[in-house]
Each structure stands twice: as C-alpha cells, then as structure tokens.
Amino acid sequence: FGRALESLEIEAIHAHTPQAKGRVERANQTLQDRLVKELRLRGIDSMEAGNVFLPEFKIDYNQRFALAPTSDEDAHRPVVHTAQELALVLCEHSVRTLSKNLTLQYRNTLYQLEHHGPGYHPRGAKVTVCELLNGQVVLLYRKRQLPYTIYRKAEGPRRVEDEKTLNNRVDAALLRQSTKPPPRPSPNHPWRQDRHNVLTCPNSRFVGYV
C-alpha cells in the first residue's frame, strides 16, 4: 500500500490513535451500533434483506446527521496516469533475480526472457514481477517491460503429512486387510477338478493323484 501511494505521489498520514482517525471511528460506531439496532427492530436477519434496507438507512442517516462542508472546493487531483500505468501500480509486486540464462521463477513457473542478437542483457539483475488483478504477469526492469515466454510450469510443492496423518493411514490399511475375506480358488482351479487315477504306494500312507 505504501509503495502504491509513493508511486502515485500521495502522502500517507498514519493515525496511531482512535481519536486521530475521526470519521473512520465514527462510521465504525454507527455500523456496529445504530445499524445493528435498526436491523433488529425491523426483523431483518438475512444478507439479502439487509442489502435492500441499506439505501433507506443511508438516506435517513444523512438527513439527520449530515453537515455541509466548510468549503465546496474539490481537493482531488486529476488523474495523470493511464489505465495501463495504474494497473502496474495497483497490483502485487515481487522482486526476482535473473539467472545467467535470463530466466526467473515465480509461483512455480519459469519465465524465459526474449532477446534477439548480441548486446547487453541484464544477467543477475533485479526484475520486478507485477501480477495484475486479471492474473496477467508483467516483468519490469528499470520501468521498462521485458518480453518473455513461459518456459516451464512446474508442479506445486507436495503436501507434507504429519505423523498423525500417516498413523491414521496405516491403521486404515491394516483394518482393510484384516476385514478382507480370504481368497477362494477359481472354478477352473486344479484343486477343483475331478481327481482320477489314484496312485498308492504299498506300505505307505502317501496317496497321489494323476
């Protein structure tokens, strides 16, 4: 947030006490106290009904408590940035270091910078990775966009399971093995075939089947 304000040349005045926040704390008190009581008195207990009631509550509240400003002058500055510049400012920034092969990794994805012909290339330089609100990734070096191609999209990190989860899995596997019925021979198994030609040996208890 501070980086975005600095890029837009906006000075941030931080309030460290509730008294310094002024209108913010007053608005929070209204939303947490008066609005809740109004919803209870009207029997509103769902988000849909509350959204329908909000415009009526806003009009009534402003008519009763709104004060006219001392000056009608608009202190807002005109927007001098283009839509593309604002998108690059109001997004998530991360810093990556380029490798000797002009590659960098961001969110398990390897980005390869495109370059044509000999010349100076920022090997080992710090590159700013801008992830826009629509998911697009822009690489900046000295406020200049760098063309790139996605070389490889790696798999996400594997989930590391703790000891308790592993013990539960082992117990479940042992339970499945203990409740599994014993295997039964198939109908065409040799044990189920008819037994003929019984062979016996004299003076022996051995009996063989052919």
Side-chain angles (χ1 to χ4, degrees):
F1 182 73
R3 186 263 314 159
L5 292 181
E6 183 179 357
S7 300
L8 298 175
E9 298 180 355
I10 299 176
E11 180 184 0
I13 302 176
H14 301 282
H16 300 286
T17 60
Q19 293 80 4
K21 294 183 180 179
R23 293 183 179 180
V24 176
E25 290 299 324
R26 175 60 62 181
N28 290 336
Q29 182 180 0
T30 300
L31 297 177
Q32 297 173 6
D33 183 35
R34 183 180 296 272
L35 178 58
V36 175
K37 294 178 180 178
E38 289 283 352
L39 295 176
R40 185 183 298 112
L41 291 175
R42 295 174 180 267
I44 298 176
D45 56 358
S46 65
M47 183 181 300
E48 293 76 12
N51 290 333
V52 174
F53 170 68
L54 280 180
E56 178 184 350
F57 173 80
K58 180 180 178 181
I59 295 175
D60 178 69
Y61 183 83
N62 289 336
Q63 289 177 351
R64 298 168 60 183
F65 302 103
L67 297 176
T70 305
S71 174
D72 296 335
E73 181 183 359
D74 189 358
H76 294 88
R77 296 184 304 173
V79 179
V80 296
H81 299 79
T82 63
Q84 184 178 7
E85 292 174 346
L86 289 177
L88 292 176
V89 171
L90 305 176
C91 66
E92 183 177 354
H93 285 198
S94 301
V95 178
R96 294 293 186 272
T97 302
L98 284 178
S99 66
K100 295 182 180 179
N101 298 327
L102 299 181
T103 60
L104 61 89
Q105 189 170 358
Y106 177 73
R107 295 191 186 277
N108 298 323
T109 303
L110 191 65
Y111 294 87
Q112 173 72 60
L113 265 63
E114 299 178 357
H115 60 92
H116 305 281
Y120 171 74
H121 301 294
R123 293 180 175 87
K126 301 293 184 180
V127 176
T128 302
V129 182
C130 304
E131 184 175 356
L132 307 185
L133 297 179
N134 58 3
Q136 179 185 357
V137 174
V138 178
L139 304 182
L140 294 180
Y141 177 67
R142 295 180 179 177
K143 299 182 180 181
R144 182 172 59 91
Q145 294 191 23
L146 302 176
Y148 66 86
T149 56
I150 297 179
Y151 180 69
R152 184 184 73 251
K153 190 170 184 179
E155 298 181 356
R158 295 185 178 180
R159 180 181 177 183
V160 179
E161 297 182 347
D162 54 7
E163 183 179 357
K164 181 178 179 181
T165 305
L166 293 177
N167 291 336
N168 292 337
R169 288 197 173 189
V170 173
D171 294 340
L174 294 176
L175 180 61
R176 289 194 299 268
Q177 292 180 0
S178 62
T179 57
K180 185 177 180 180
R184 301 183 61 182
S186 60
N188 58 351
H189 196 276
W191 291 357
R192 293 181 178 272
Q193 296 179 2
D194 296 335
R195 300 173 180 178
H196 303 286
N197 302 328
V198 179
L199 300 178
T200 59
C201 297
N203 302 326
S204 175
R205 296 182 179 180
F206 174 77
V207 179
Y209 298 90
V210 179

mmCIF file of all heavy atoms in Angstrom, residues 2-23:
data_model
loop_
_atom_site.group_PDB
_atom_site.id
_atom_site.type_symbol
_atom_site.label_atom_id
_atom_site.label_comp_id
_atom_site.label_asym_id
_atom_site.label_seq_id
_atom_site.Cartn_x
_atom_site.Cartn_y
_atom_site.Cartn_z
ATOM 1 N N GLY A 2 1.890 1.264 0.843
ATOM 2 C CA GLY A 2 2.792 2.407 0.870
ATOM 3 C C GLY A 2 3.528 2.590 -0.436
ATOM 4 O O GLY A 2 3.753 3.726 -0.880
ATOM 5 N N ARG A 3 3.918 1.476 -1.067
ATOM 6 C CA ARG A 3 4.608 1.563 -2.355
ATOM 7 C C ARG A 3 3.702 2.158 -3.425
ATOM 8 O O ARG A 3 4.129 2.990 -4.242
ATOM 9 C CB ARG A 3 5.076 0.156 -2.743
ATOM 10 C CG ARG A 3 5.942 0.081 -4.000
ATOM 11 C CD ARG A 3 5.147 -0.274 -5.226
ATOM 12 N NE ARG A 3 4.267 -1.386 -4.961
ATOM 13 C CZ ARG A 3 3.193 -1.648 -5.689
ATOM 14 N NH1 ARG A 3 2.853 -0.856 -6.689
ATOM 15 N NH2 ARG A 3 2.419 -2.683 -5.409
ATOM 16 N N ALA A 4 2.418 1.775 -3.429
ATOM 17 C CA ALA A 4 1.480 2.319 -4.406
ATOM 18 C C ALA A 4 1.254 3.813 -4.179
ATOM 19 O O ALA A 4 1.206 4.598 -5.133
ATOM 20 C CB ALA A 4 0.160 1.558 -4.341
ATOM 21 N N LEU A 5 1.123 4.229 -2.917
ATOM 22 C CA LEU A 5 0.936 5.653 -2.630
ATOM 23 C C LEU A 5 2.147 6.466 -3.072
ATOM 24 O O LEU A 5 2.008 7.560 -3.636
ATOM 25 C CB LEU A 5 0.680 5.852 -1.137
ATOM 26 C CG LEU A 5 -0.635 5.315 -0.578
ATOM 27 C CD1 LEU A 5 -0.731 5.634 0.905
ATOM 28 C CD2 LEU A 5 -1.831 5.882 -1.322
ATOM 29 N N GLU A 6 3.330 5.944 -2.823
ATOM 30 C CA GLU A 6 4.540 6.665 -3.230
ATOM 31 C C GLU A 6 4.628 6.785 -4.744
ATOM 32 O O GLU A 6 5.051 7.824 -5.271
ATOM 33 C CB GLU A 6 5.768 5.944 -2.683
ATOM 34 C CG GLU A 6 7.080 6.652 -2.978
ATOM 35 C CD GLU A 6 8.268 5.926 -2.397
ATOM 36 O OE1 GLU A 6 8.053 4.903 -1.707
ATOM 37 O OE2 GLU A 6 9.414 6.371 -2.632
ATOM 38 N N SER A 7 4.221 5.739 -5.465
ATOM 39 C CA SER A 7 4.251 5.799 -6.928
ATOM 40 C C SER A 7 3.267 6.830 -7.462
ATOM 41 O O SER A 7 3.516 7.457 -8.495
ATOM 42 C CB SER A 7 3.937 4.421 -7.514
ATOM 43 O OG SER A 7 4.883 3.459 -7.077
ATOM 44 N N LEU A 8 2.151 7.016 -6.768
ATOM 45 C CA LEU A 8 1.141 7.989 -7.193
ATOM 46 C C LEU A 8 1.362 9.365 -6.577
ATOM 47 O O LEU A 8 0.516 10.249 -6.736
ATOM 48 C CB LEU A 8 -0.256 7.477 -6.820
ATOM 49 C CG LEU A 8 -0.682 6.163 -7.478
ATOM 50 C CD1 LEU A 8 -2.023 5.704 -6.929
ATOM 51 C CD2 LEU A 8 -0.745 6.307 -8.990
ATOM 52 N N GLU A 9 2.486 9.540 -5.863
ATOM 53 C CA GLU A 9 2.831 10.814 -5.223
ATOM 54 C C GLU A 9 1.751 11.250 -4.239
ATOM 55 O O GLU A 9 1.320 12.406 -4.208
ATOM 56 C CB GLU A 9 3.064 11.900 -6.275
ATOM 57 C CG GLU A 9 4.219 11.591 -7.221
ATOM 58 C CD GLU A 9 4.433 12.687 -8.246
ATOM 59 O OE1 GLU A 9 3.618 13.639 -8.261
ATOM 60 O OE2 GLU A 9 5.402 12.600 -9.022
ATOM 61 N N ILE A 10 1.316 10.298 -3.424
ATOM 62 C CA ILE A 10 0.324 10.563 -2.386
ATOM 63 C C ILE A 10 1.001 10.374 -1.034
ATOM 64 O O ILE A 10 1.623 9.340 -0.778
ATOM 65 C CB ILE A 10 -0.885 9.622 -2.516
ATOM 66 C CG1 ILE A 10 -1.575 9.831 -3.868
ATOM 67 C CG2 ILE A 10 -1.870 9.853 -1.378
ATOM 68 C CD1 ILE A 10 -2.714 8.871 -4.119
ATOM 69 N N GLU A 11 0.878 11.366 -0.185
ATOM 70 C CA GLU A 11 1.478 11.290 1.144
ATOM 71 C C GLU A 11 0.525 10.576 2.098
ATOM 72 O O GLU A 11 -0.660 10.921 2.185
ATOM 73 C CB GLU A 11 1.789 12.684 1.677
ATOM 74 C CG GLU A 11 2.425 12.672 3.066
ATOM 75 C CD GLU A 11 2.641 14.067 3.610
ATOM 76 O OE1 GLU A 11 2.292 15.042 2.897
ATOM 77 O OE2 GLU A 11 3.141 14.192 4.744
ATOM 78 N N ALA A 12 1.040 9.594 2.783
ATOM 79 C CA ALA A 12 0.240 8.842 3.752
ATOM 80 C C ALA A 12 0.424 9.447 5.140
ATOM 81 O O ALA A 12 1.550 9.577 5.627
ATOM 82 C CB ALA A 12 0.651 7.379 3.756
ATOM 83 N N ILE A 13 -0.671 9.836 5.766
ATOM 84 C CA ILE A 13 -0.649 10.364 7.129
ATOM 85 C C ILE A 13 -1.244 9.286 8.025
ATOM 86 O O ILE A 13 -2.455 9.049 8.022
ATOM 87 C CB ILE A 13 -1.444 11.678 7.237
ATOM 88 C CG1 ILE A 13 -0.876 12.718 6.263
ATOM 89 C CG2 ILE A 13 -1.406 12.211 8.662
ATOM 90 C CD1 ILE A 13 -1.657 14.021 6.236
ATOM 91 N N HIS A 14 -0.400 8.615 8.771
ATOM 92 C CA HIS A 14 -0.840 7.489 9.584
ATOM 93 C C HIS A 14 -1.417 7.984 10.909
ATOM 94 O O HIS A 14 -0.866 8.883 11.552
ATOM 95 C CB HIS A 14 0.330 6.543 9.852
ATOM 96 C CG HIS A 14 0.944 5.987 8.599
ATOM 97 N ND1 HIS A 14 0.380 4.957 7.885
ATOM 98 C CD2 HIS A 14 2.076 6.348 7.925
ATOM 99 C CE1 HIS A 14 1.135 4.681 6.831
ATOM 100 N NE2 HIS A 14 2.164 5.512 6.829
ATOM 101 N N ALA A 15 -2.528 7.389 11.288
ATOM 102 C CA ALA A 15 -3.173 7.707 12.560
ATOM 103 C C ALA A 15 -2.923 6.560 13.524
ATOM 104 O O ALA A 15 -3.263 5.412 13.243
ATOM 105 C CB ALA A 15 -4.672 7.912 12.358
ATOM 106 N N HIS A 16 -2.318 6.860 14.652
ATOM 107 C CA HIS A 16 -1.947 5.830 15.615
ATOM 108 C C HIS A 16 -2.898 5.765 16.811
ATOM 109 O O HIS A 16 -2.708 4.941 17.696
ATOM 110 C CB HIS A 16 -0.519 6.076 16.111
ATOM 111 C CG HIS A 16 0.504 6.056 15.017
ATOM 112 N ND1 HIS A 16 0.925 4.900 14.401
ATOM 113 C CD2 HIS A 16 1.173 7.072 14.402
ATOM 114 C CE1 HIS A 16 1.828 5.185 13.474
ATOM 115 N NE2 HIS A 16 1.995 6.499 13.451
ATOM 116 N N THR A 17 -3.900 6.622 16.860
ATOM 117 C CA THR A 17 -4.861 6.612 17.967
ATOM 118 C C THR A 17 -6.272 6.667 17.402
ATOM 119 O O THR A 17 -6.499 7.210 16.312
ATOM 120 C CB THR A 17 -4.639 7.816 18.901
ATOM 121 O OG1 THR A 17 -4.816 9.029 18.157
ATOM 122 C CG2 THR A 17 -3.244 7.786 19.501
ATOM 123 N N PRO A 18 -7.261 6.118 18.106
ATOM 124 C CA PRO A 18 -8.644 6.206 17.622
ATOM 125 C C PRO A 18 -9.123 7.640 17.460
ATOM 126 O O PRO A 18 -9.911 7.936 16.553
ATOM 127 C CB PRO A 18 -9.434 5.469 18.705
ATOM 128 C CG PRO A 18 -8.447 4.568 19.364
ATOM 129 C CD PRO A 18 -7.141 5.308 19.316
ATOM 130 N N GLN A 19 -8.649 8.554 18.330
ATOM 131 C CA GLN A 19 -9.086 9.938 18.228
ATOM 132 C C GLN A 19 -8.599 10.574 16.930
ATOM 133 O O GLN A 19 -9.271 11.437 16.354
ATOM 134 C CB GLN A 19 -8.578 10.740 19.428
ATOM 135 C CG GLN A 19 -9.203 10.341 20.757
ATOM 136 C CD GLN A 19 -8.574 9.087 21.343
ATOM 137 O OE1 GLN A 19 -7.615 8.545 20.786
ATOM 138 N NE2 GLN A 19 -9.116 8.616 22.454
ATOM 139 N N ALA A 20 -7.428 10.151 16.453
ATOM 140 C CA ALA A 20 -6.889 10.742 15.233
ATOM 141 C C ALA A 20 -7.610 10.248 13.985
ATOM 142 O O ALA A 20 -7.561 10.896 12.938
ATOM 143 C CB ALA A 20 -5.396 10.437 15.124
ATOM 144 N N LYS A 21 -8.274 9.124 14.090
ATOM 145 C CA LYS A 21 -8.958 8.590 12.918
ATOM 146 C C LYS A 21 -10.266 9.323 12.628
ATOM 147 O O LYS A 21 -10.759 9.293 11.507
ATOM 148 C CB LYS A 21 -9.223 7.099 13.108
ATOM 149 C CG LYS A 21 -7.941 6.274 13.145
ATOM 150 C CD LYS A 21 -8.243 4.799 13.270
ATOM 151 C CE LYS A 21 -6.970 3.981 13.295
ATOM 152 N NZ LYS A 21 -7.240 2.534 13.430
ATOM 153 N N GLY A 22 -10.859 9.928 13.631
ATOM 154 C CA GLY A 22 -12.005 10.794 13.402
ATOM 155 C C GLY A 22 -13.184 10.105 12.762
ATOM 156 O O GLY A 22 -13.870 9.283 13.367
ATOM 157 N N ARG A 23 -13.427 10.443 11.512
ATOM 158 C CA ARG A 23 -14.620 9.975 10.818
ATOM 159 C C ARG A 23 -14.648 8.454 10.681
ATOM 160 O O ARG A 23 -15.724 7.853 10.653
ATOM 161 C CB ARG A 23 -14.697 10.621 9.442
ATOM 162 C CG ARG A 23 -14.930 12.123 9.467
ATOM 163 C CD ARG A 23 -15.074 12.666 8.067
ATOM 164 N NE ARG A 23 -15.322 14.105 8.064
ATOM 165 C CZ ARG A 23 -15.488 14.826 6.961
ATOM 166 N NH1 ARG A 23 -15.423 14.228 5.780
ATOM 167 N NH2 ARG A 23 -15.709 16.119 7.036
#
